[in-house]
Amino acid sequence: MLEVFCYTIAVILFGLAALLPNGVPHRDRMAYAGLALWLLPATVHALQAH
């Protein structure tokens, strides 16, 4: 369930960051937040494996 939630929100944030014009403030932060959410399930899985 965590994966579905994170991936869905990440795709939405990536889409918004891609579609918004360059002049929009915090556009890069949306992309970074999407990247962080995209990597969160893999990080949790890796930490649980140890």
Side-chain angles (χ1 to χ4, degrees):
M1 188 66 180
L2 174 69
E3 292 90 1
V4 173
F5 175 75
C6 288
Y7 291 151
T8 302
I9 300 299
V11 167
I12 291 170
L13 287 173
F14 280 142
L16 280 174
L19 294 175
L20 290 174
N22 289 337
V24 174
H26 307 302
R27 179 178 166 244
D28 56 341
R29 290 186 187 177
M30 281 192 286
Y32 292 142
L35 180 61
L37 279 173
W38 191 266
L39 295 175
L40 180 65
T43 304
V44 169
H45 179 70
L47 292 174
Q48 286 177 347
H50 287 318

